[in-house]
Amino acid sequence: MSTLALAFDLGGTELRGALVERSGDVIARVSAPTMSGAGSEAVIGQIIALAGTLLAEHPQAKVVGIGMCAPGPLDPKAGIVIGPPTLAGWHNVPLIDILSRQFGLPVRLENDANAAALGEWRFGAGRGSGSLVFVTVSTGIGGGVVADGHIYHGRRGLAAEIGHMTITGEGERCFCGAVGCFEAVASGTALGRRATKLTTAGDGSLLRRLSNDGDVSARHVVEAARAGDVSALELVAAEAKWLGIGFTNLLHLYSPDLIVMGGGLSNGFDLLAPTIRATVEQRAMQAYRDVPIVPAELGDRAGLVGAASLILWEGEPGTALAMVQDDETKSGAGGKAGAREASQG
Ligand SMILES: [Zn+2]
């Protein structure tokens, strides 16, 4: 059996574990509802139990390490989960220390959005690219940046809080306390809230019928838009415009080879894409307008395979293809010589 990593994706509602090959193939998966109110010791106990299940099912597995992702804020270098809002009782938990002592294996820790970015870059929609921005749009908006073959961490690993870039001066207050965050206007939650405001219980609209006259969610909006409902289509267009504005900022800041959109709302990517594209073409400077914006490919395993790759691909530079692209860019300096000749002529 080939070399494997144990991978864990610790979420506020679900804890997932897997055995992952170097190719990114998942050979076994387990999950459990996260005991998110029970404190860090209980959840670490769950991680150890899931690892036991995976290893018992695959006794021949040659596990070389553990790749782990968890919600931020966390410090990937120090291996410390600082205090995610979705996990009660986690304050500066030295997760790498605890797990490496428990298993006697190397452990790597990464922010969940960064791990998903890495997963999509190595094995998914961003395969073969040098740089990408991954944006996950669901309850909130998160993201990760792979720049020139490496996750861009910034100070204390806190870079790329895409959801909290200010995008307007108005609207609902974000949970972070600010007004006008990308997440506050463009998340699935924000879309559901706009749809709920636009309709009323018992008005007979398709949106309210889909929600059984309860609050309308982003999923209902996408479903109604697919059925051709006019107000749902307008909501989708407004949502796509906000996403397009945010993505334009990301293009200007990071100049990625592509933007990959994941998260629950990417189920409606085909509906959103035309207006996202049109908004980018309206707002981005010329040189950034042709950058592909594509849906994520790996779904909910992006974080797991990305975390596993921290172990299985440790120390590897960017992909071979990215290196080739760089070389082509360099040899493209010949173009300058051509321009000089032209100016002489
Ligand atoms: Zn915010």
Side-chain angles (χ1 to χ4, degrees), residues 163-165 173-184:
H164 300 284
M165 64 180 167
R173 198 166 284 278
C174 181
F175 88 90
C176 76
V179 165
C181 292
F182 188 28
E183 168 170 313

Side-chain angles (χ1 to χ4, degrees), residues 276-289:
I276 292 175
R277 198 75 251 165
T279 306
V280 167
E281 268 157 34
Q282 237 169 42
R283 293 180 166 259
M285 288 190 282
Q286 182 73 42
Y288 302 84
R289 287 181 201 160

Side-chain angles (χ1 to χ4, degrees), residues 10-13 15 33-46 84-91 93:
L10 170 57
T13 53
L15 171 63
T34 309
M35 295 163 67
S36 55
S40 62
E41 274 183 42
V43 177
I44 290 167
Q46 289 189 287
T86 49
L87 295 169
W90 286 67
H91 300 294
V93 177

Side-chain angles (χ1 to χ4, degrees), residues 5 12 27 60 67 82-83 91 103 118 139 163 181 184 191 239 251 290 345:
I27 65 158
Q60 312 301 327
I82 295 170
H91 300 294
F103 292 98
L118 200 54
T139 315
C181 292
L191 173 58
E239 170 68 21
L251 292 172
D290 58 348

